[in-house]
Amino acid sequence: MTTRNPASEHQHSLVSIRLITDDVARLADFYGRVSGTPIRWSTPDFAELETPAGTLAIGSTRTVALFGAGSARAADNHSAIIEFLVDDVDADYERIRQVPTEFVNAPTTMPWGNRSLLFRDPDGNLVNLFTPVTPEAKAKFGR
């Protein structure tokens, strides 16, 4: 006899994270340079960086009223970290040092097996580039 799991019948897929900013062009340029991925523009108020895992959307504060006035504020994130899995975090660190940013740490091996580089985007959002380095972390991320 099979047991039904009502929660699994209505699965949702995370497709994007959206950052709200006063300067879409500045943030889009930053993420394009950091990721090496082209930015796709829909309007001057909305751009996207598409990755195999999902999309980082960048929207202007002018779009917030479409959802509800005051529902989001630019440059006000103090809890989320935007993370990118990379092949060689140390090589990316050398490359990104040419991009104006505030580094929180240099590449550091974390207790959970990832070598991580933490820095801030122009709006102060935390960004983490990481490379799995232990066998367990490599297995988790298929590396």
Side-chain angles (χ1 to χ4, degrees):
M1 178 179 206
T2 305
T3 305
R4 284 186 43 204
N5 181 353
S8 67
E9 292 177 15
H10 301 287
Q11 298 255 340
H12 299 284
S13 296
L14 178 66
V15 295
S16 73
I17 300 292
R18 185 178 315 187
L19 298 175
I20 297 298
T21 182
D22 290 330
D23 192 338
V24 176
R26 178 183 69 169
L27 217 52
D29 178 66
F30 176 84
Y31 281 102
R33 291 176 68 189
V34 164
S35 70
T37 302
I39 299 295
R40 185 172 52 111
W41 287 88
S42 297
T43 72
D45 286 333
F46 190 80
E48 295 176 305
L49 183 146
E50 295 178 352
T51 77
T55 298
L56 179 63
I58 303 168
S60 169
T61 50
R62 290 184 293 272
T63 66
V64 172
L66 299 171
F67 297 103
S71 61
R73 290 188 305 267
D76 196 30
N77 172 26
H78 298 285
S79 62
I81 302 173
I82 300 160
E83 298 187 300
F84 292 91
L85 176 63
V86 300
D87 291 330
D88 183 346
V89 72
D90 293 283
D92 277 343
Y93 176 56
E94 292 306 318
R95 181 179 58 81
I96 292 170
R97 290 175 72 176
Q98 309 309 312
V99 178
T101 190
E102 174 193 338
F103 286 99
V104 176
N105 71 347
T108 304
T109 302
M110 299 296 172
W112 47 87
N114 293 332
R115 190 152 173 80
S116 295
L117 169 64
L118 196 64
F119 54 96
R120 294 189 184 279
D121 73 13
D123 280 0
N125 298 301
L126 286 169
V127 180
N128 180 36
L129 302 187
F130 72 95
T131 302
V133 293
T134 64
E136 296 82 8
K138 288 178 179 180
K140 178 179 179 180
F141 292 102
R143 295 279 169 133

